[in-house]
Amino acid sequence: MMSGHDDETWVEEFAQLWREVLGVDSVDEHDDFFEIGGHSLGALRLATLIQRELGIAVELQQVMDNPRYGDLLAVASRAARGADAAAAAHGAAAPAPTGGHR
């Protein structure tokens, strides 16, 4: 997940995944995945890489529904913040170890 990454590093890693999947040198917020050479298998690869490399749950349908770079970046950012908040809440709600059975 984004934990341990500052925003600039995370955004650069996200952009690198787009460049890798599309085989382009650069992307900007207005680039449309499908207009610059992406296809459905590429979208699946991108979603998989985002999940595996960044630990952010972005599904294929989200790539299909948000093909612009800036839009998908916003979706991924919301997913990452939600997962971080859920992990923090889960950690805070976890009972303290008792150290043994009675």
Side-chain angles (χ1 to χ4, degrees):
M1 197 165 329
M2 289 192 331
S3 300
H5 298 290
D6 61 41
D7 286 343
E8 187 175 318
T9 300
W10 178 79
V11 170
E12 178 54 36
E13 290 170 356
F14 187 86
Q16 177 57 39
L17 294 177
W18 268 68
R19 293 190 299 264
E20 178 183 324
V21 168
L22 292 167
V24 297
D25 292 329
S26 65
V27 292
D28 72 38
E29 68 176 305
H30 301 291
D31 284 338
D32 184 292
F33 184 83
F34 299 106
E35 290 178 4
I36 59 175
H39 48 75
S40 59
L41 290 177
L44 177 59
R45 181 171 177 230
L46 180 61
T48 301
L49 286 171
I50 292 169
Q51 290 177 34
R52 186 175 66 213
E53 301 296 324
L54 300 178
I56 299 171
V58 170
E59 302 296 329
L60 171 61
Q61 192 61 50
Q62 291 173 301
V63 177
M64 303 296 277
D65 292 344
N66 300 278
R68 282 188 6 177
Y69 174 82
D71 293 342
L72 190 61
L73 181 61
V75 167
S77 182
R78 284 192 302 273
R81 281 195 311 269
D84 283 344
H90 179 71
T98 60
H101 299 283
R102 289 189 171 183

